[in-house]
Amino acid sequence: MHPRIVKLFLALVLCTGSLFPAFAQTPVASAGSTADQLAKLQTQVANAQSSADNAWMLVSAALVLMMTGPGLALFYGGLVRKKNVLATMMQSFAMMAIITVLWALVSYSLAFDSGTSFIGGLHHIFLRGVGLVPDTDYSATLPLQTFMIYQLMFAIITPALITGAFAERMKFSAMALFLILWSIFVYSPMAHMVWGKGGFLNASLGGRFPTLDFAGGTVVHVTSGVSALVCALYLGKRVGYPKEAMPPHSVVLSFIGACLLWVGWFGFNAGSALSSGPLATSAFVNTHFGAAGAALSWMLAEWIRSGKPSALGGISGAVAGLVAITPAAGFVQPMSAIVIGLLAGAFCYFMVIKVKNWFGYDDSLDAFGVHGAGGTLGAVLTGLFASSAINPIFKDAQGNPLPSGAVDGNWHQVLNQLVGIGLAWIISIVGTLILLKLVDLTVGLRVSRDQETEGLDLTQHGEEGYDFAS
């Protein structure tokens, strides 16, 4: 080799060593150090996934709380007469405080602790053992406290929905006592059966009749809606109903509330994926499509019947669609979500306009017509349209996906859905009747005729929503 080439090569080697000393001095990694680096990388990836999931779930929890206050409070508050606006909004607000304390004391344990097929145990009373380590039965990436606080928001809004049926005529004290008892003896068992460990209807943890309920079709809407109907029948009609006109005092408030409900429902449904992955995206998309489809079908039905589509009809239809898509959100294709929404809007309109008039019950704010009817329809349609391509919740012994719903070929799932719906109806009817009777015998349910005429704002809270004199 030419001497000049040798000198040039040696100079290049020396230069490389001086510019990149670590490169020149670092030995080849051993097999042990490579394994350590891979393990460290896997830990970092797992921590990143946990952080992403946790962030999404905390945001979702806040969105669901927003559904109760201000969403439901404004929606219901605008639908009543102005003399009852604060009393109606206070019922939703009270649930935010009362159910939170109750959840920490005992309700979370009854819903999500291991117990029987029908009710959880008491190992988590006072939130004992509910810390920052995941419970892998529910989520491998979320701190158990995150799961607990997210589920609390569902426990808050469910009894608040019932208040729409007895608006303008129940004592505040009776409302508080009844809904505390209802949360313990109706909501907690139903939540455990559908979502809890060992639950009779739990589809992901081997329940006897696996009922598909992604975000609360049976647990939230069927139970609250059916209980609302029982309340309306037990309390009787408002003074003057139906002879006196009782229109909403502010559709504007209800309009704002409904829009807040629509936005908050993304946390309600997409958050129920318990992760920030593709399943959350599917539930998010389906939620929006279902609401839009129902808003259109309700307005169209109203347009055909009365010649005009109303703002109240539009927002009522949107809520009906959100209710119906709730059990199906994480199981169906987007076009199925639109179909569910279209059917729900027309069906709930029929229940509110026709069925309520036929039977003559005074469901003040149509809690049953929207939540009970819409939740029941949505749960049935979930069994029809559930697709393993979206959520392969059922698998064989080898881990291969099995058909989810009737569109996949699993017609038996419709029967499972009907079992879940039937249990929700039975528990809600029997439990609500017993609890109403108990509260009626102790503190009394209804305000007096004079108090109802004067309005619950003044008689129950000593204040008015609007002071036009000042």
Side-chain angles (χ1 to χ4, degrees):
M1 183 178 292
H2 196 281
R4 289 184 178 180
I5 296 178
V6 174
K7 291 180 180 179
L8 182 61
F9 177 75
L10 291 173
L12 181 61
V13 170
L14 291 173
C15 182
T16 302
S18 62
L19 290 175
F20 305 103
F23 175 82
Q25 297 172 12
T26 301
V28 177
S30 65
S33 62
T34 301
D36 291 342
Q37 289 173 350
L38 287 175
K40 185 177 181 180
L41 181 61
Q42 289 173 343
T43 300
Q44 291 172 338
V45 170
N47 289 340
Q49 181 65 57
S50 179
S51 296
D53 291 346
N54 197 45
W56 167 239
M57 292 308 301
L58 292 175
V59 170
S60 293
L63 286 171
V64 179
L65 182 62
M66 186 185 75
M67 292 173 65
T68 304
L72 188 67
L74 285 169
F75 184 63
Y76 276 179
L79 292 176
V80 297
R81 290 166 288 181
K82 64 178 181 290
K83 64 183 179 180
N84 297 312
V85 57
L86 284 182
T88 301
M89 296 176 79
M90 266 295 292
Q91 291 173 342
S92 291
F93 184 80
M95 291 301 99
M96 294 168 65
I98 293 171
I99 301 303
T100 295
V101 175
L102 186 67
W103 191 250
L105 295 178
V106 67
S107 294
Y108 172 75
S109 189
L110 292 175
F112 290 100
D113 186 21
S114 299
T116 69
S117 297
F118 299 97
I119 191 68
L122 296 175
H123 301 96
H124 292 316
I125 59 172
F126 309 115
L127 297 184
R128 185 175 59 188
V130 182
L132 302 179
V133 177
D135 183 333
T136 54
D137 286 327
Y138 295 123
S139 172
T141 60
L142 297 178
L144 187 55
Q145 276 191 18
T146 299
F147 177 79
M148 178 275 298
I149 201 70
Y150 178 70
Q151 291 296 338
L152 165 61
M153 304 312 172
F154 286 71
I156 288 172
I157 195 171
T158 307
L161 294 172
I162 303 173
T163 64
F166 53 71
E168 303 192 298
R169 59 195 188 276
M170 184 183 276
K171 294 178 182 178
F172 184 79
S173 58
M175 178 278 304
L177 178 58
F178 165 65
L179 291 180
I180 287 172
L181 296 173
W182 188 91
S183 296
I184 294 173
F185 294 105
V186 177
Y187 181 82
S188 292
M190 198 65 207
H192 179 76
M193 281 192 285
V194 176
W195 294 329
K197 299 177 184 179
F200 186 70
L201 304 172
N202 193 310
S204 60
L205 295 175
R208 176 67 180 83
F209 288 93
T211 301
L212 299 179
D213 188 356
F214 192 73
T218 51
V219 178
V220 176
H221 298 294
V222 173
T223 58
S224 64
V226 173
S227 296
L229 177 62
V230 175
C231 287
L233 293 171
Y234 188 96
L235 266 74
K237 302 172 184 177
R238 289 168 287 179
V239 174
Y241 181 90
K243 295 180 180 180
E244 294 180 13
M246 299 179 181
H249 90 279
S250 177
V251 176
V252 172
L253 289 184
S254 296
F255 199 96
I256 296 169
C259 291
L260 288 169
L261 283 170
W262 191 328
V263 174
W265 225 291
F266 293 124
F268 199 86
N269 286 356
S272 292
L274 301 180
S275 71
S276 56
L279 187 57
T281 298
S282 179
F284 194 108
V285 170
N286 290 335
T287 299
H288 192 63
F289 283 8
L296 290 176
S297 64
W298 185 302
M299 286 191 292
L300 181 60
E302 189 176 47
W303 205 339
I304 293 171
R305 180 176 180 269
S306 62
K308 295 177 182 178
S310 69
L312 181 57
I315 60 177
S316 299
V319 173
L322 291 164
V323 168
I325 198 60
T326 290
F331 295 114
V332 303
Q333 301 276 4
M335 295 310 297
S336 297
I338 293 178
V339 173
I340 291 172
L342 291 171
L343 293 173
F347 179 66
C348 291
Y349 176 78
F350 174 76
M351 294 295 296
V352 168
I353 299 301
K354 291 294 186 180
V355 174
K356 186 170 75 167
N357 289 334
W358 289 344
F359 290 95
Y361 56 86
D362 184 13
D363 179 4
S364 306
L365 310 182
D366 295 312
F368 172 71
V370 173
H371 296 279
T376 299
L377 177 68
V380 174
L381 295 178
T382 300
L384 289 174
F385 292 115
S387 171
S388 59
I390 298 298
N391 189 345
I393 192 167
F394 301 129
K395 297 179 180 179
D396 61 19
Q398 288 71 43
N400 301 311
L402 295 172
S404 296
V407 295
D408 276 357
N410 180 18
W411 284 94
H412 185 74
Q413 187 56 39
V414 177
L415 175 61
N416 291 336
Q417 298 300 109
L418 292 174
V419 171
I421 293 166
L423 269 176
W425 272 74
I426 292 169
I427 291 172
S428 300
I429 292 172
V430 175
T432 301
L433 276 174
I434 293 173
L435 296 177
L436 285 173
K437 187 64 177 178
L438 179 63
V439 175
D440 201 9
L441 290 173
T442 52
V443 301
L445 287 171
R446 284 193 71 148
V447 297
S448 69
R449 186 182 184 91
D450 289 342
Q451 289 177 328
E452 185 175 337
T453 301
E454 186 177 0
L456 272 61
D457 284 3
L458 282 173
T459 61
Q460 299 299 298
H461 303 289
E463 54 190 349
E464 294 182 276
Y466 304 100
D467 185 2
F468 296 112
S470 61

